[in-house]
Amino acid sequence: MNKNNFLLSIILLLAICNVALLFFLLKKPKERLDHDRPKNVIIEKLHFDQNQIVDYQKMIDQHRIDVKKNDSKILELKNELYQLLLEDQPSTKSDSIALEIGKIQQEIETIHFRHFQDIKKLCKPEQVGDFQALAKDLTKIFNHKKVMENQKR
């Protein structure tokens, strides 16, 4: 193979890599936008009117703030926990940190539960039956791993 053919092959390979990179970069934002999927499913299944949607969005905003605050605490504790790996002597402190992480995770689950209680309160009497049907599917709707798998298909 002469020098020109070799250079042409390299250029062609780089061009293919660039096209593949662009494809994956352009595809990725769609996955990020899907965080509104559960919200849209709830709005649709409960047949919310415009006023309910506005109130629901306010609830979502506060819910995300509350969960993010607790997620940050968990992250800090995990960092503290994993720093214990750098010590030569085993530490019993890891158990207390793990328990604290568990308490915060429990608080997050309580925040989620209260959020859905608030959604139920937002429903009009004729929407309560729809909410009860929705409640049976909440774990499916909010299973982020399953959502991501379905996007890949």
Side-chain angles (χ1 to χ4, degrees):
M1 177 184 269
N2 68 27
K3 187 177 180 179
N4 286 340
N5 285 342
F6 177 74
L7 290 175
L8 187 58
S9 298
I10 296 293
I11 291 171
L12 185 59
L13 179 65
L14 290 172
I16 291 170
C17 289
N18 283 335
V19 169
L21 179 65
L22 284 174
F23 173 77
F24 288 116
L25 287 176
L26 292 176
K27 184 179 176 189
K28 200 168 187 168
K30 291 178 185 174
E31 293 172 4
R32 283 192 211 130
L33 293 177
D34 205 63
H35 74 279
D36 280 342
R37 181 189 156 292
K39 175 183 87 171
N40 295 332
V41 168
I42 289 173
I43 289 170
E44 180 182 317
K45 287 189 180 258
L46 297 181
H47 307 98
F48 277 170
D49 62 30
Q50 198 58 41
N51 291 332
Q52 288 173 308
I53 292 171
V54 169
D55 291 341
Y56 178 43
Q57 185 60 54
K58 290 176 188 173
M59 290 168 43
I60 289 171
D61 294 341
Q62 185 58 51
H63 179 254
R64 287 180 179 162
I65 289 168
D66 295 342
V67 171
K68 188 180 271 189
K69 223 183 291 181
N70 282 289
D71 281 341
S72 295
K73 290 178 189 176
I74 287 176
L75 187 59
E76 288 174 24
L77 286 169
K78 283 183 176 183
N79 284 330
E80 187 177 337
L81 177 66
Y82 297 140
Q83 288 301 308
L84 296 176
L85 294 170
L86 301 174
E87 297 177 5
D88 291 334
Q89 298 295 324
S91 174
T92 58
K93 190 175 179 184
S94 64
D95 292 338
S96 62
I97 294 172
L99 283 172
E100 188 62 28
I101 290 170
K103 288 177 188 175
I104 296 170
Q105 187 60 49
Q106 181 180 6
E107 178 62 27
I108 290 172
E109 295 309 319
T110 302
I111 290 168
H112 290 322
F113 186 77
R114 286 186 191 135
H115 177 68
F116 290 112
Q117 286 177 319
D118 291 342
I119 292 171
K120 184 177 182 181
K121 290 175 190 172
L122 194 58
C123 292
K124 296 175 183 175
E126 63 270 14
Q127 294 169 317
V128 173
D130 293 329
F131 180 85
Q132 291 169 342
L134 173 73
K136 294 176 184 175
D137 293 332
L138 285 175
T139 53
K140 293 177 191 169
I141 294 169
F142 286 91
N143 184 346
H144 297 295
K145 291 179 184 174
K146 188 170 184 171
V147 168
M148 296 307 278
E149 286 174 11
N150 289 338
Q151 282 182 347
K152 293 177 182 175
R153 290 181 189 164

